[in-house]
Structure formats: C-alpha cells, structure tokens
C-alpha cells in the first residue's frame, strides 16, 4: 500500500485548473504536516493557503517550473494549479529548519494523492515578490511552495539510462518520464 502511494505521488505540473481545491482540503493536508516529524520537535513551520483563483493567478508567475524542460515555460492558462500551500519557517522558533519542510511537503503530497489530487514541490520562488504579495512578515522565511490540483498529465518512472542522465523528459505524447537510480546504486554499504 505505502509503496503504491509513494509511486503514485509524482511531481505533477499540469492540472485541471477548473477543478477547485477547497480550503478545508488544504487544511486537512496541513494537518498531515502538523502530525509529521520535526527536528527537536520544535514544529517551526507555518503555512499560507491559497485556493482562490485571483490570488492563485498572482502567485503563479512567481514560481519556476521544470528547469530541465528548456522549451516549456510552465503550465498554460487552464492547466495551472488550483491551489497553493506556502511553507514558511518561523525564525522566532528556530534559525534553521533542518529537513522539516521536506518531510511536511511529502506528507502533504501523499495525502493529496490519496484524495485524487497531485502537486509539485517548488523551491524556485521569487521570494521577495511572494512575501510582498501575501504580506508575509519578516520573521517567517519562505521555504517551499506546494502547487496542487487535479492532475492532467501522466508521469512514468524509468530506470536511469546507461549515460546516467537524471534529467526528466517529455515524449511526443506529452508523457513525462522521470529517471530513478537503481536500489543497487544507492545502497552503498
Ligand atoms: C526540494 C525540492 C524542490 C523542487 N523545486 C522544484 C521547482 O522549483 N520547480 C519544479 O518544477 N519542480 C521542483 N521540484 C520537483 C522535482 O523536479 C521532482 O521531484 C523531480 O523531477 C523528480 O520527480 P518526482 O517528484 O516525480 O519523483 C522540487 C522537488 C524538491 C524535492
């Protein structure tokens, strides 16, 4: 079960934008993050939720999509995320957030998959502009953005080719292929 859920939880970048994601759904996802592991149990993460189309439209241009797909500027209008969760670190509680944000993001993505949604973790963010847009106070560091929605693309996992290239790619049918290293390569002892 958990393996199926992890395999199904892929980074998705094209969505049915017209299928709304409710605020309560976002709250349920954040609740999964809330219950996840936290270094020294400080729980310094805070969240801003967005599922309102006009607000979403202002967040979208502040994010960068699929750096390896050089001729793809990101999802077109109609295929953009229906919701965002901005993951913040409260510097009043801790100066460094260790790996809390990654654990939180994966918990939320797994929960999204279970609900028939998908998403993408985004670290390439115009942080100054996003802070201004969402009126995020200085003591909250912008760590990651989770983009969410009903998936509109197919993603398949591949073994790494003989050239060892880890870059994901898209085929003529628009299927997104993601190379993954073999277990034998990553267990080193
Ligand atoms: C910390 C982190 C930051 C990421 N930042 C971005 C990003 O800025 N833009 C993007 O399109 N994808 C981003 N991704 C998604 C990765 O590109 C994706 O995880 C990788 O291609 C493997 O695909 P998979 O998630 O389906 O296994 C990020 C993923 C992680 C874990």
């Amino acid at each position: 079960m958990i393996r199926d859920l992890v395999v199904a939880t892929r980074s998705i970048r094209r969505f049915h934008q017209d299928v709304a994601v409710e605020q309560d759904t976002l709250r349920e996802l954040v609740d999964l993050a809330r219950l996840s592991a936290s270094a020294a149990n400080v729980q310094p993460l805070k969240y801003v939720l967005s599922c309102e189309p006009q607000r979403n439209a202002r967040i979208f241009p502040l994010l960068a999509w699929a750096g390896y797909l050089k001729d793809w500027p990101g999802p077109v209008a109609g295929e953009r995320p229906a919701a965002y969760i901005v993951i913040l670190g409260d510097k009043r509680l801790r100066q460094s957030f260790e790996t809390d944000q990654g654990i939180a993001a994966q918990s939320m993505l797994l929960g999204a998959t279970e609900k028939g949604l998908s998403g993408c973790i985004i670290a390439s963010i115009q942080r100054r502009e996003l802070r201004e847009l969402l009126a995020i106070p200085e003591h909250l560091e912008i760590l990651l953005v989770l983009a969410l929605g009903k998936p509109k693309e197919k993603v398949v996992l591949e073994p790494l080719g003989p050239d060892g290239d880890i870059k994901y790619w898209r085929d003529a049918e628009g299927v997104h292929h993601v190379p993954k290293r073999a277990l034998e390569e990553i267990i080193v002892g």
Side-chain angles (χ1 to χ4, degrees), residues 171-184:
D171 68 23
E173 278 73 49
V175 176
H176 184 87
H177 297 256
V178 181
K180 292 289 182 191
R181 296 187 195 280
L183 202 54
E184 294 69 34

Side-chain angles (χ1 to χ4, degrees), residues 3-18:
R3 191 176 200 283
D4 292 343
L5 190 63
V6 170
V7 169
T9 301
R10 302 273 52 91
S11 293
I12 293 290
R13 301 180 180 85
R14 287 175 288 176
F15 304 91
H16 292 277
Q17 192 176 340
D18 56 338

Side-chain angles (χ1 to χ4, degrees), residues 10-11 13 64-66 120-124 144 155 157 168 178 180:
R10 302 273 52 91
S11 293
R13 301 180 180 85
W65 298 85
C120 188
I121 299 170
I122 307 267
S124 186
L144 295 169
V155 177
L157 300 180
Y168 47 76
V178 181
K180 292 289 182 191

